Every structure is written in structure tokens, then in C-alpha cells.
Amino acid sequence: MKIAFLGTPPFAVAALEALAAAGHELACVVAQPDRPAGRGQELRAPATKVWAEARGVPVLQPEKVRDGQLAAALGALAPDVLVVVAYGRILGKDLLELAPHGAVNVHASLLPRLRGAAPIQWSLAEGDRETGVSIMQMDEGLDTGDVLLQRVLPIEPADTAETLSERLSRLGGAALVEALGLLAEGRIVPAPQDHTQATLAPIIQKEHGRLDFQLPAEKLVCRLRGFTPWPGAYTTLGGKTLKVHAARATHGDPVMRPGTAQAMSSGLFVACGGGTAILVTELQLEGRKRMSAADFLKGQPVPAGTVLG
């Protein structure tokens, strides 16, 4: 197929790789504009732009997508289908209906569960045992289009949003190629979603990473995994931000107030809701480097009765 590809972050690159390997023609890559990044706030090109330019694929980076100019530019290329992977913009009807096969999206969840911007993070945060990818025919709603194909992926106990994203991106690329092949041959039957079963995965905000020790320990560990690497899990100690990089759930003391910390040889024990606790094994206090909790406690005593947060 002749494809106009719309995608921006590293997650979308695996789909580009899969499409190129399958022999599809990439007419162009549409990415969001270069943005300031890093301590120097220097302009940084999106991952898909870097990939495309290295292979001589034309790149478009419009500031707006609803003024008709992008639709005109893509229409001149006469693509068979638009492929959208984490582009980061909502497309209008002019783009969704531009190509004969419409616009096909790779969404990193088993729709209708976890519609929205952050399905990978929320899948982990909510303690799911499995997730997957949905190849969807886009419409004007928020991830409400008919599903062309789905593939399931088990979530590993050590997965974070970073590692799960890498695995889902590869699965999404393979599923996308399979779906386009079936679509081209007319051998795919779009399946409407059961909208009554839909749940949402909203954009992650920094505040989502704040640890609420009233929650059970297992729930806190799930949130830590879901919000790693960003925004990370954090609380406060002595008025400073304390980032928690690694922790595991353990048995607690039901009489301890949630948030009460206790230094142990293996890490920092913190009481949580429901008589549970977490054992923090790796952390970083504001202004200091990341280190094991055991090493941290050698130089930073945590008096008995200290309450975090």
C-alpha cells in the first residue's frame, strides 16, 4: 500500500520499521514540530522525523492539522491509507476520509478498555495482568472506531511503562502489517466496540506520581511501575522530595499510621493502607544522587515515627 504515516515519538518508530520491512510505500511521515528538550532547551527532532530523514522519506511538520493545508498536501500524494501511531493531534473529517482505506490507528490497549492518551501507564497502574494492541479504523471520536485486529500481550512482573511500551510498539508494528494486508485483500471485517465497556486512560500529570500511603501496598507498587520513568513515584522526607525508584509490597503492621517509615537493613519500610507496607529499595532525595535505600540510610538516619508525605 501507499501510506501517509502520522506519528511522533519513539513508540511509532517500530511501526515504521515494520511497514518498510513489509514493502509498503511510505509517501511521507507527518510528525509534530521540533520541540525544546533537555537542560539546554535546544530544539529536538521527533523520533519519527529522524527515522524518515535517514531513509529519504519526506517529512511534514505542520503546526495545525485542521486548517485544510495538511489535507491538501496529503491529498496530492494520493495515499491508499493513513496510518496513525501516537501522532498527538486529533484529526478532522477531511483527513479521516482522505484515503480509500481511511485512517488506521495503532492503539496500545485492548479496546474499548483504556481509551485515551496513556493506556500503557494506566494499564500498569491499575494492576492489569495483560494488555495488547488494537488496530482500529479511526472515526471522529476518542478511540471509538471499529476494531480491525487485536493482539494480546501478558504484562511481566518487572514491567514499567518504559519496558512495556517497547514490547507493545513491536507487537503493534507486526499487527499493523497483518491488518493492512487483510484490509488490502478485503478479508477483514471491522468489529464495532462495545461502548458500554469503555474505560479511559487520561493524560498523565505530575501529581499522579505522588504516593498516597492510604492505598494498599500492591496498588502503590502498580502505580510506581506505571509512572516510571515519568513522572516517577515520589513523596516527601523532611520537606524535600523523595523519589522512589524501586519498591516491593510486603507485610505491614496494622497499628502503624500509613506513611510511617522505619529504617531496616534491607531498605526503608513504609506502612500503607489496609495493614500493608512497601519496602523501598532504591530512592533519591532531592539534591542527591540515586542510590540503594540501604546506602542512603547509612548516611541519612530516619528517626522512628517519621511520617512521609
Side-chain angles (χ1 to χ4, degrees):
M1 281 194 182
K2 186 177 183 181
I3 294 169
F5 186 94
L6 294 85
T8 301
F11 180 85
V13 172
L16 281 170
E17 295 276 9
L19 292 171
H24 289 289
E25 178 186 355
L26 288 164
C28 71
V29 167
V30 183
Q32 289 206 35
D34 297 3
R35 303 290 190 201
R39 290 187 176 181
Q41 289 292 286
E42 295 181 356
L43 285 180
R44 184 174 297 173
T48 51
K49 177 184 179 182
V50 173
W51 186 94
E53 289 187 336
R55 291 157 181 80
V57 177
V59 176
L60 303 174
Q61 293 181 280
E63 288 284 353
K64 299 178 180 179
V65 298
R66 289 178 172 266
D67 59 5
Q69 294 188 34
L70 178 60
L74 297 186
L77 297 173
D80 297 311
V81 64
L82 268 62
V83 169
V84 183
V85 186
Y87 176 49
R89 297 282 182 85
I90 297 174
L91 306 185
K93 193 173 181 180
D94 57 345
L95 289 166
L96 297 175
E97 297 180 351
L98 182 142
H101 289 291
V104 172
N105 175 244
V106 178
H107 187 78
S109 83
L110 298 173
L111 292 170
R113 179 167 168 71
L114 296 174
R115 293 173 175 171
I120 299 172
Q121 292 89 338
W122 285 111
S123 179
L124 286 163
E126 294 182 6
D128 289 350
R129 299 292 183 88
E130 66 178 21
T131 182
V133 293
S134 299
I135 310 302
M136 177 187 64
Q137 191 79 60
M138 295 178 71
D139 61 17
E140 291 185 89
L142 177 64
D143 301 326
T144 54
D146 293 351
V147 172
L148 302 177
L149 185 147
Q150 286 186 322
R151 291 292 178 264
V152 176
L153 182 72
I155 294 178
E156 303 294 340
D159 266 331
T160 64
E162 185 173 33
T163 62
L164 186 58
S165 178
E166 290 174 359
R167 295 198 293 132
L168 283 169
S169 67
R170 294 194 295 272
L171 181 65
L176 173 65
V177 168
E178 182 180 355
L180 291 182
L182 294 170
L183 196 63
E185 296 167 3
R187 294 195 296 122
I188 202 163
V189 179
Q193 297 184 41
D194 180 354
H195 302 300
T196 65
Q197 299 300 311
T199 62
L200 294 177
I203 294 173
I204 301 296
Q205 308 289 344
K206 185 176 181 180
E207 187 62 23
H208 286 124
R210 180 180 293 277
L211 292 170
D212 177 2
F213 294 109
Q214 298 291 337
L215 295 173
E218 291 283 357
K219 182 68 175 175
L220 281 180
V221 172
C222 288
R223 293 177 71 89
L224 185 156
R225 294 166 57 204
F227 303 145
T228 297
W230 195 89
Y234 63 92
T235 181
T236 58
L237 172 64
K240 293 185 176 180
T241 299
L242 180 71
K243 292 184 178 178
V244 176
H245 292 294
R248 65 174 183 269
T250 186
H251 297 294
D253 183 342
V255 302
M256 290 181 71
R257 174 186 171 188
T260 302
Q262 182 176 336
M264 303 182 72
S265 60
S266 53
L268 187 63
F269 176 95
V270 186
C272 300
T276 63
I278 58 171
L279 183 67
V280 177
T281 57
E282 193 172 357
L283 49 72
Q284 184 175 13
L285 187 64
E286 183 179 341
R288 298 176 62 174
K289 66 179 182 180
R290 176 173 175 168
M291 63 179 71
S292 73
D295 287 343
F296 173 81
L297 292 169
K298 291 176 183 175
Q300 174 83 39
V302 176
T306 296
V307 177
L308 304 181

